[in-house]
Amino acid sequence: MKNNKPTTSDSLVLDKQALKLADKDPTTRRVLEGILAQDVEHANELKDWLDL
């Protein structure tokens, strides 16, 4: 049975795809870059917790 919950890596891929769509709008791109940076930070923290 396949797990339908999105994974952390799925979320990061979607964030990166959204950045590509924002190429023509610098303000939206900066906002999305900030969101992506937070997502990466959270993913790293989660990985660290799981590795304990």
Side-chain angles (χ1 to χ4, degrees), residues 3-37:
N3 183 350
N4 289 325
K5 292 182 181 179
T7 65
T8 302
S9 83
D10 292 339
S11 176
L12 296 176
V13 168
L14 291 173
D15 289 345
K16 289 178 183 178
Q17 288 175 346
L19 283 175
K20 290 180 186 177
L21 296 175
D23 278 342
K24 295 180 181 178
D25 182 2
T27 303
T28 301
R29 182 168 182 83
R30 280 192 301 271
V31 169
L32 291 174
E33 285 172 342
I35 292 169
L36 177 58

PDB file of all heavy atoms in Angstrom, residues 3-37:
ATOM      1  N   ASN A   3       1.928   5.048   0.673  1.00  0.00           N
ATOM      2  CA  ASN A   3       1.656   6.114   1.619  1.00  0.00           C
ATOM      3  C   ASN A   3       1.383   7.395   0.828  1.00  0.00           C
ATOM      4  O   ASN A   3       2.212   7.832   0.042  1.00  0.00           O
ATOM      5  CB  ASN A   3       2.864   6.289   2.542  1.00  0.00           C
ATOM      6  CG  ASN A   3       2.634   7.322   3.613  1.00  0.00           C
ATOM      7  OD1 ASN A   3       1.651   8.047   3.583  1.00  0.00           O
ATOM      8  ND2 ASN A   3       3.539   7.385   4.543  1.00  0.00           N
ATOM      9  N   ASN A   4       0.212   7.995   1.017  1.00  0.00           N
ATOM     10  CA  ASN A   4      -0.161   9.187   0.258  1.00  0.00           C
ATOM     11  C   ASN A   4       0.261  10.492   0.906  1.00  0.00           C
ATOM     12  O   ASN A   4      -0.010  11.553   0.378  1.00  0.00           O
ATOM     13  CB  ASN A   4      -1.675   9.199   0.010  1.00  0.00           C
ATOM     14  CG  ASN A   4      -2.093   8.140  -0.976  1.00  0.00           C
ATOM     15  OD1 ASN A   4      -1.359   7.842  -1.908  1.00  0.00           O
ATOM     16  ND2 ASN A   4      -3.244   7.556  -0.763  1.00  0.00           N
ATOM     17  N   LYS A   5       0.925  10.428   2.052  1.00  0.00           N
ATOM     18  CA  LYS A   5       1.387  11.643   2.699  1.00  0.00           C
ATOM     19  C   LYS A   5       2.587  12.202   1.947  1.00  0.00           C
ATOM     20  O   LYS A   5       3.484  11.453   1.563  1.00  0.00           O
ATOM     21  CB  LYS A   5       1.786  11.358   4.147  1.00  0.00           C
ATOM     22  CG  LYS A   5       0.626  11.011   5.023  1.00  0.00           C
ATOM     23  CD  LYS A   5       1.098  10.799   6.448  1.00  0.00           C
ATOM     24  CE  LYS A   5      -0.065  10.416   7.333  1.00  0.00           C
ATOM     25  NZ  LYS A   5       0.352  10.184   8.712  1.00  0.00           N
ATOM     26  N   PRO A   6       2.606  13.508   1.719  1.00  0.00           N
ATOM     27  CA  PRO A   6       3.774  14.081   1.035  1.00  0.00           C
ATOM     28  C   PRO A   6       5.004  13.982   1.929  1.00  0.00           C
ATOM     29  O   PRO A   6       4.911  14.083   3.138  1.00  0.00           O
ATOM     30  CB  PRO A   6       3.377  15.534   0.798  1.00  0.00           C
ATOM     31  CG  PRO A   6       2.247  15.805   1.714  1.00  0.00           C
ATOM     32  CD  PRO A   6       1.602  14.487   2.036  1.00  0.00           C
ATOM     33  N   THR A   7       6.139  13.760   1.306  1.00  0.00           N
ATOM     34  CA  THR A   7       7.382  13.686   2.060  1.00  0.00           C
ATOM     35  C   THR A   7       8.044  15.053   2.083  1.00  0.00           C
ATOM     36  O   THR A   7       7.674  15.961   1.333  1.00  0.00           O
ATOM     37  CB  THR A   7       8.349  12.674   1.427  1.00  0.00           C
ATOM     38  OG1 THR A   7       8.718  13.161   0.129  1.00  0.00           O
ATOM     39  CG2 THR A   7       7.731  11.297   1.313  1.00  0.00           C
ATOM     40  N   THR A   8       9.044  15.179   2.930  1.00  0.00           N
ATOM     41  CA  THR A   8       9.785  16.430   3.001  1.00  0.00           C
ATOM     42  C   THR A   8      10.438  16.740   1.664  1.00  0.00           C
ATOM     43  O   THR A   8      10.408  17.876   1.202  1.00  0.00           O
ATOM     44  CB  THR A   8      10.849  16.346   4.106  1.00  0.00           C
ATOM     45  OG1 THR A   8      10.198  16.054   5.339  1.00  0.00           O
ATOM     46  CG2 THR A   8      11.608  17.635   4.257  1.00  0.00           C
ATOM     47  N   SER A   9      10.987  15.723   1.017  1.00  0.00           N
ATOM     48  CA  SER A   9      11.640  15.979  -0.267  1.00  0.00           C
ATOM     49  C   SER A   9      10.616  16.390  -1.323  1.00  0.00           C
ATOM     50  O   SER A   9      10.917  17.212  -2.187  1.00  0.00           O
ATOM     51  CB  SER A   9      12.464  14.782  -0.720  1.00  0.00           C
ATOM     52  OG  SER A   9      11.713  13.823  -1.365  1.00  0.00           O
ATOM     53  N   ASP A  10       9.388  15.844  -1.265  1.00  0.00           N
ATOM     54  CA  ASP A  10       8.329  16.277  -2.191  1.00  0.00           C
ATOM     55  C   ASP A  10       8.056  17.768  -2.019  1.00  0.00           C
ATOM     56  O   ASP A  10       7.892  18.492  -2.993  1.00  0.00           O
ATOM     57  CB  ASP A  10       7.029  15.514  -1.949  1.00  0.00           C
ATOM     58  CG  ASP A  10       7.095  14.049  -2.318  1.00  0.00           C
ATOM     59  OD1 ASP A  10       7.978  13.678  -3.119  1.00  0.00           O
ATOM     60  OD2 ASP A  10       6.264  13.282  -1.800  1.00  0.00           O
ATOM     61  N   SER A  11       8.019  18.198  -0.774  1.00  0.00           N
ATOM     62  CA  SER A  11       7.754  19.601  -0.482  1.00  0.00           C
ATOM     63  C   SER A  11       8.859  20.489  -1.044  1.00  0.00           C
ATOM     64  O   SER A  11       8.585  21.541  -1.629  1.00  0.00           O
ATOM     65  CB  SER A  11       7.639  19.812   1.033  1.00  0.00           C
ATOM     66  OG  SER A  11       7.483  21.171   1.335  1.00  0.00           O
ATOM     67  N   LEU A  12      10.101  20.074  -0.880  1.00  0.00           N
ATOM     68  CA  LEU A  12      11.217  20.870  -1.389  1.00  0.00           C
ATOM     69  C   LEU A  12      11.200  20.929  -2.917  1.00  0.00           C
ATOM     70  O   LEU A  12      11.490  21.980  -3.495  1.00  0.00           O
ATOM     71  CB  LEU A  12      12.545  20.307  -0.885  1.00  0.00           C
ATOM     72  CG  LEU A  12      12.743  20.361   0.631  1.00  0.00           C
ATOM     73  CD1 LEU A  12      14.058  19.682   1.010  1.00  0.00           C
ATOM     74  CD2 LEU A  12      12.698  21.782   1.150  1.00  0.00           C
ATOM     75  N   VAL A  13      10.844  19.839  -3.562  1.00  0.00           N
ATOM     76  CA  VAL A  13      10.756  19.823  -5.027  1.00  0.00           C
ATOM     77  C   VAL A  13       9.678  20.788  -5.489  1.00  0.00           C
ATOM     78  O   VAL A  13       9.881  21.568  -6.428  1.00  0.00           O
ATOM     79  CB  VAL A  13      10.483  18.394  -5.549  1.00  0.00           C
ATOM     80  CG1 VAL A  13      10.099  18.407  -7.017  1.00  0.00           C
ATOM     81  CG2 VAL A  13      11.688  17.505  -5.322  1.00  0.00           C
ATOM     82  N   LEU A  14       8.538  20.770  -4.821  1.00  0.00           N
ATOM     83  CA  LEU A  14       7.451  21.683  -5.193  1.00  0.00           C
ATOM     84  C   LEU A  14       7.855  23.135  -4.983  1.00  0.00           C
ATOM     85  O   LEU A  14       7.518  24.001  -5.795  1.00  0.00           O
ATOM     86  CB  LEU A  14       6.188  21.361  -4.386  1.00  0.00           C
ATOM     87  CG  LEU A  14       5.520  20.030  -4.732  1.00  0.00           C
ATOM     88  CD1 LEU A  14       4.380  19.748  -3.756  1.00  0.00           C
ATOM     89  CD2 LEU A  14       5.013  20.035  -6.158  1.00  0.00           C
ATOM     90  N   ASP A  15       8.582  23.419  -3.892  1.00  0.00           N
ATOM     91  CA  ASP A  15       9.054  24.781  -3.654  1.00  0.00           C
ATOM     92  C   ASP A  15       9.980  25.240  -4.771  1.00  0.00           C
ATOM     93  O   ASP A  15       9.889  26.366  -5.249  1.00  0.00           O
ATOM     94  CB  ASP A  15       9.779  24.880  -2.311  1.00  0.00           C
ATOM     95  CG  ASP A  15       8.845  24.770  -1.118  1.00  0.00           C
ATOM     96  OD1 ASP A  15       7.620  24.894  -1.310  1.00  0.00           O
ATOM     97  OD2 ASP A  15       9.345  24.571   0.006  1.00  0.00           O
ATOM     98  N   LYS A  16      10.890  24.364  -5.192  1.00  0.00           N
ATOM     99  CA  LYS A  16      11.816  24.720  -6.269  1.00  0.00           C
ATOM    100  C   LYS A  16      11.079  24.942  -7.586  1.00  0.00           C
ATOM    101  O   LYS A  16      11.430  25.837  -8.351  1.00  0.00           O
ATOM    102  CB  LYS A  16      12.889  23.643  -6.419  1.00  0.00           C
ATOM    103  CG  LYS A  16      13.872  23.633  -5.264  1.00  0.00           C
ATOM    104  CD  LYS A  16      14.892  22.532  -5.395  1.00  0.00           C
ATOM    105  CE  LYS A  16      15.802  22.501  -4.186  1.00  0.00           C
ATOM    106  NZ  LYS A  16      16.785  21.409  -4.263  1.00  0.00           N
ATOM    107  N   GLN A  17      10.033  24.151  -7.840  1.00  0.00           N
ATOM    108  CA  GLN A  17       9.246  24.342  -9.055  1.00  0.00           C
ATOM    109  C   GLN A  17       8.515  25.681  -9.005  1.00  0.00           C
ATOM    110  O   GLN A  17       8.395  26.366 -10.018  1.00  0.00           O
ATOM    111  CB  GLN A  17       8.260  23.200  -9.230  1.00  0.00           C
ATOM    112  CG  GLN A  17       8.912  21.901  -9.616  1.00  0.00           C
ATOM    113  CD  GLN A  17       7.942  20.735  -9.667  1.00  0.00           C
ATOM    114  OE1 GLN A  17       6.826  20.817  -9.178  1.00  0.00           O
ATOM    115  NE2 GLN A  17       8.378  19.649 -10.264  1.00  0.00           N
ATOM    116  N   ALA A  18       8.045  26.068  -7.835  1.00  0.00           N
ATOM    117  CA  ALA A  18       7.360  27.351  -7.693  1.00  0.00           C
ATOM    118  C   ALA A  18       8.322  28.501  -7.984  1.00  0.00           C
ATOM    119  O   ALA A  18       7.926  29.512  -8.569  1.00  0.00           O
ATOM    120  CB  ALA A  18       6.770  27.488  -6.300  1.00  0.00           C
ATOM    121  N   LEU A  19       9.584  28.357  -7.593  1.00  0.00           N
ATOM    122  CA  LEU A  19      10.572  29.391  -7.887  1.00  0.00           C
ATOM    123  C   LEU A  19      10.730  29.595  -9.392  1.00  0.00           C
ATOM    124  O   LEU A  19      10.888  30.716  -9.855  1.00  0.00           O
ATOM    125  CB  LEU A  19      11.929  29.034  -7.277  1.00  0.00           C
ATOM    126  CG  LEU A  19      12.086  29.262  -5.786  1.00  0.00           C
ATOM    127  CD1 LEU A  19      13.445  28.752  -5.323  1.00  0.00           C
ATOM    128  CD2 LEU A  19      11.916  30.720  -5.432  1.00  0.00           C
ATOM    129  N   LYS A  20      10.687  28.511 -10.145  1.00  0.00           N
ATOM    130  CA  LYS A  20      10.809  28.623 -11.600  1.00  0.00           C
ATOM    131  C   LYS A  20       9.652  29.433 -12.175  1.00  0.00           C
ATOM    132  O   LYS A  20       9.821  30.182 -13.131  1.00  0.00           O
ATOM    133  CB  LYS A  20      10.854  27.232 -12.237  1.00  0.00           C
ATOM    134  CG  LYS A  20      12.135  26.486 -11.959  1.00  0.00           C
ATOM    135  CD  LYS A  20      12.100  25.124 -12.609  1.00  0.00           C
ATOM    136  CE  LYS A  20      13.302  24.302 -12.224  1.00  0.00           C
ATOM    137  NZ  LYS A  20      13.248  22.957 -12.776  1.00  0.00           N
ATOM    138  N   LEU A  21       8.465  29.281 -11.595  1.00  0.00           N
ATOM    139  CA  LEU A  21       7.298  30.012 -12.081  1.00  0.00           C
ATOM    140  C   LEU A  21       7.379  31.498 -11.740  1.00  0.00           C
ATOM    141  O   LEU A  21       6.745  32.324 -12.385  1.00  0.00           O
ATOM    142  CB  LEU A  21       6.021  29.419 -11.484  1.00  0.00           C
ATOM    143  CG  LEU A  21       5.709  27.981 -11.892  1.00  0.00           C
ATOM    144  CD1 LEU A  21       4.489  27.465 -11.127  1.00  0.00           C
ATOM    145  CD2 LEU A  21       5.473  27.886 -13.395  1.00  0.00           C
ATOM    146  N   ALA A  22       8.169  31.828 -10.724  1.00  0.00           N
ATOM    147  CA  ALA A  22       8.250  33.217 -10.270  1.00  0.00           C
ATOM    148  C   ALA A  22       9.414  33.970 -10.908  1.00  0.00           C
ATOM    149  O   ALA A  22       9.748  35.069 -10.474  1.00  0.00           O
ATOM    150  CB  ALA A  22       8.384  33.246  -8.754  1.00  0.00           C
ATOM    151  N   ASP A  23      10.012  33.423 -11.939  1.00  0.00           N
ATOM    152  CA  ASP A  23      11.168  34.063 -12.573  1.00  0.00           C
ATOM    153  C   ASP A  23      10.880  35.471 -13.070  1.00  0.00           C
ATOM    154  O   ASP A  23      11.761  36.325 -13.067  1.00  0.00           O
ATOM    155  CB  ASP A  23      11.679  33.215 -13.745  1.00  0.00           C
ATOM    156  CG  ASP A  23      12.576  32.088 -13.296  1.00  0.00           C
ATOM    157  OD1 ASP A  23      13.089  32.134 -12.161  1.00  0.00           O
ATOM    158  OD2 ASP A  23      12.759  31.148 -14.084  1.00  0.00           O
ATOM    159  N   LYS A  24       9.660  35.735 -13.480  1.00  0.00           N
ATOM    160  CA  LYS A  24       9.334  37.042 -14.055  1.00  0.00           C
ATOM    161  C   LYS A  24       8.887  38.056 -13.009  1.00  0.00           C
ATOM    162  O   LYS A  24       8.665  39.220 -13.336  1.00  0.00           O
ATOM    163  CB  LYS A  24       8.244  36.885 -15.114  1.00  0.00           C
ATOM    164  CG  LYS A  24       8.709  36.071 -16.297  1.00  0.00           C
ATOM    165  CD  LYS A  24       7.635  35.924 -17.333  1.00  0.00           C
ATOM    166  CE  LYS A  24       8.161  35.068 -18.478  1.00  0.00           C
ATOM    167  NZ  LYS A  24       7.166  34.843 -19.505  1.00  0.00           N
ATOM    168  N   ASP A  25       8.760  37.632 -11.757  1.00  0.00           N
ATOM    169  CA  ASP A  25       8.304  38.526 -10.696  1.00  0.00           C
ATOM    170  C   ASP A  25       9.296  38.467  -9.536  1.00  0.00           C
ATOM    171  O   ASP A  25       9.262  37.553  -8.721  1.00  0.00           O
ATOM    172  CB  ASP A  25       6.913  38.111 -10.220  1.00  0.00           C
ATOM    173  CG  ASP A  25       6.348  39.024  -9.158  1.00  0.00           C
ATOM    174  OD1 ASP A  25       7.008  40.015  -8.801  1.00  0.00           O
ATOM    175  OD2 ASP A  25       5.237  38.738  -8.679  1.00  0.00           O
ATOM    176  N   PRO A  26      10.202  39.441  -9.445  1.00  0.00           N
ATOM    177  CA  PRO A  26      11.256  39.390  -8.428  1.00  0.00           C
ATOM    178  C   PRO A  26      10.735  39.400  -6.986  1.00  0.00           C
ATOM    179  O   PRO A  26      11.323  38.762  -6.117  1.00  0.00           O
ATOM    180  CB  PRO A  26      12.108  40.625  -8.701  1.00  0.00           C
ATOM    181  CG  PRO A  26      11.490  41.350  -9.829  1.00  0.00           C
ATOM    182  CD  PRO A  26      10.304  40.592 -10.317  1.00  0.00           C
ATOM    183  N   THR A  27       9.636  40.086  -6.737  1.00  0.00           N
ATOM    184  CA  THR A  27       9.101  40.125  -5.377  1.00  0.00           C
ATOM    185  C   THR A  27       8.600  38.749  -4.954  1.00  0.00           C
ATOM    186  O   THR A  27       8.925  38.251  -3.868  1.00  0.00           O
ATOM    187  CB  THR A  27       7.969  41.167  -5.259  1.00  0.00           C
ATOM    188  OG1 THR A  27       8.485  42.440  -5.653  1.00  0.00           O
ATOM    189  CG2 THR A  27       7.429  41.233  -3.853  1.00  0.00           C
ATOM    190  N   THR A  28       7.829  38.125  -5.818  1.00  0.00           N
ATOM    191  CA  THR A  28       7.325  36.783  -5.522  1.00  0.00           C
ATOM    192  C   THR A  28       8.489  35.814  -5.383  1.00  0.00           C
ATOM    193  O   THR A  28       8.494  34.962  -4.495  1.00  0.00           O
ATOM    194  CB  THR A  28       6.371  36.305  -6.638  1.00  0.00           C
ATOM    195  OG1 THR A  28       5.279  37.227  -6.726  1.00  0.00           O
ATOM    196  CG2 THR A  28       5.849  34.905  -6.365  1.00  0.00           C
ATOM    197  N   ARG A  29       9.480  35.954  -6.220  1.00  0.00           N
ATOM    198  CA  ARG A  29      10.643  35.064  -6.147  1.00  0.00           C
ATOM    199  C   ARG A  29      11.346  35.195  -4.798  1.00  0.00           C
ATOM    200  O   ARG A  29      11.700  34.194  -4.183  1.00  0.00           O
ATOM    201  CB  ARG A  29      11.618  35.359  -7.282  1.00  0.00           C
ATOM    202  CG  ARG A  29      12.805  34.408  -7.262  1.00  0.00           C
ATOM    203  CD  ARG A  29      13.615  34.504  -8.553  1.00  0.00           C
ATOM    204  NE  ARG A  29      14.699  33.552  -8.523  1.00  0.00           N
ATOM    205  CZ  ARG A  29      14.590  32.276  -8.843  1.00  0.00           C
ATOM    206  NH1 ARG A  29      13.437  31.790  -9.233  1.00  0.00           N
ATOM    207  NH2 ARG A  29      15.626  31.476  -8.789  1.00  0.00           N
ATOM    208  N   ARG A  30      11.534  36.419  -4.299  1.00  0.00           N
ATOM    209  CA  ARG A  30      12.191  36.611  -2.996  1.00  0.00           C
ATOM    210  C   ARG A  30      11.375  35.994  -1.868  1.00  0.00           C
ATOM    211  O   ARG A  30      11.922  35.371  -0.961  1.00  0.00           O
ATOM    212  CB  ARG A  30      12.436  38.096  -2.729  1.00  0.00           C
ATOM    213  CG  ARG A  30      13.650  38.639  -3.450  1.00  0.00           C
ATOM    214  CD  ARG A  30      14.046  40.015  -2.953  1.00  0.00           C
ATOM    215  NE  ARG A  30      12.981  40.994  -3.107  1.00  0.00           N
ATOM    216  CZ  ARG A  30      12.785  41.747  -4.176  1.00  0.00           C
ATOM    217  NH1 ARG A  30      13.576  41.626  -5.215  1.00  0.00           N
ATOM    218  NH2 ARG A  30      11.810  42.609  -4.233  1.00  0.00           N
ATOM    219  N   VAL A  31      10.064  36.151  -1.924  1.00  0.00           N
ATOM    220  CA  VAL A  31       9.195  35.548  -0.906  1.00  0.00           C
ATOM    221  C   VAL A  31       9.312  34.030  -0.943  1.00  0.00           C
ATOM    222  O   VAL A  31       9.484  33.379   0.099  1.00  0.00           O
ATOM    223  CB  VAL A  31       7.724  35.995  -1.095  1.00  0.00           C
ATOM    224  CG1 VAL A  31       6.793  35.184  -0.219  1.00  0.00           C
ATOM    225  CG2 VAL A  31       7.571  37.486  -0.821  1.00  0.00           C
ATOM    226  N   LEU A  32       9.254  33.462  -2.142  1.00  0.00           N
ATOM    227  CA  LEU A  32       9.349  32.012  -2.274  1.00  0.00           C
ATOM    228  C   LEU A  32      10.737  31.495  -1.875  1.00  0.00           C
ATOM    229  O   LEU A  32      10.860  30.421  -1.297  1.00  0.00           O
ATOM    230  CB  LEU A  32       9.013  31.580  -3.699  1.00  0.00           C
ATOM    231  CG  LEU A  32       7.545  31.758  -4.097  1.00  0.00           C
ATOM    232  CD1 LEU A  32       7.356  31.439  -5.576  1.00  0.00           C
ATOM    233  CD2 LEU A  32       6.633  30.909  -3.247  1.00  0.00           C
ATOM    234  N   GLU A  33      11.783  32.262  -2.151  1.00  0.00           N
ATOM    235  CA  GLU A  33      13.130  31.862  -1.734  1.00  0.00           C
ATOM    236  C   GLU A  33      13.218  31.802  -0.206  1.00  0.00           C
ATOM    237  O   GLU A  33      13.858  30.913   0.349  1.00  0.00           O
ATOM    238  CB  GLU A  33      14.179  32.822  -2.287  1.00  0.00           C
ATOM    239  CG  GLU A  33      14.446  32.634  -3.757  1.00  0.00           C
ATOM    240  CD  GLU A  33      15.343  33.693  -4.358  1.00  0.00           C
ATOM    241  OE1 GLU A  33      15.513  34.780  -3.752  1.00  0.00           O
ATOM    242  OE2 GLU A  33      15.882  33.449  -5.456  1.00  0.00           O
ATOM    243  N   GLY A  34      12.574  32.752   0.465  1.00  0.00           N
ATOM    244  CA  GLY A  34      12.547  32.735   1.926  1.00  0.00           C
ATOM    245  C   GLY A  34      11.811  31.521   2.464  1.00  0.00           C
ATOM    246  O   GLY A  34      12.251  30.877   3.429  1.00  0.00           O
ATOM    247  N   ILE A  35      10.702  31.193   1.832  1.00  0.00           N
ATOM    248  CA  ILE A  35       9.929  30.009   2.246  1.00  0.00           C
ATOM    249  C   ILE A  35      10.763  28.749   2.016  1.00  0.00           C
ATOM    250  O   ILE A  35      10.816  27.867   2.874  1.00  0.00           O
ATOM    251  CB  ILE A  35       8.593  29.942   1.470  1.00  0.00           C
ATOM    252  CG1 ILE A  35       7.682  31.085   1.913  1.00  0.00           C
ATOM    253  CG2 ILE A  35       7.916  28.592   1.681  1.00  0.00           C
ATOM    254  CD1 ILE A  35       6.459  31.279   1.044  1.00  0.00           C
ATOM    255  N   LEU A  36      11.429  28.664   0.870  1.00  0.00           N
ATOM    256  CA  LEU A  36      12.266  27.507   0.571  1.00  0.00           C
ATOM    257  C   LEU A  36      13.398  27.378   1.593  1.00  0.00           C
ATOM    258  O   LEU A  36      13.683  26.281   2.069  1.00  0.00           O
ATOM    259  CB  LEU A  36      12.839  27.599  -0.842  1.00  0.00           C
ATOM    260  CG  LEU A  36      13.799  26.491  -1.254  1.00  0.00           C
ATOM    261  CD1 LEU A  36      13.134  25.128  -1.155  1.00  0.00           C
ATOM    262  CD2 LEU A  36      14.318  26.729  -2.657  1.00  0.00           C
ATOM    263  N   ALA A  37      14.020  28.481   1.953  1.00  0.00           N
ATOM    264  CA  ALA A  37      15.104  28.442   2.938  1.00  0.00           C
ATOM    265  C   ALA A  37      14.599  27.902   4.273  1.00  0.00           C
ATOM    266  O   ALA A  37      15.276  27.090   4.919  1.00  0.00           O
ATOM    267  CB  ALA A  37      15.707  29.838   3.110  1.00  0.00           C
TER     268      ALA A  37
END
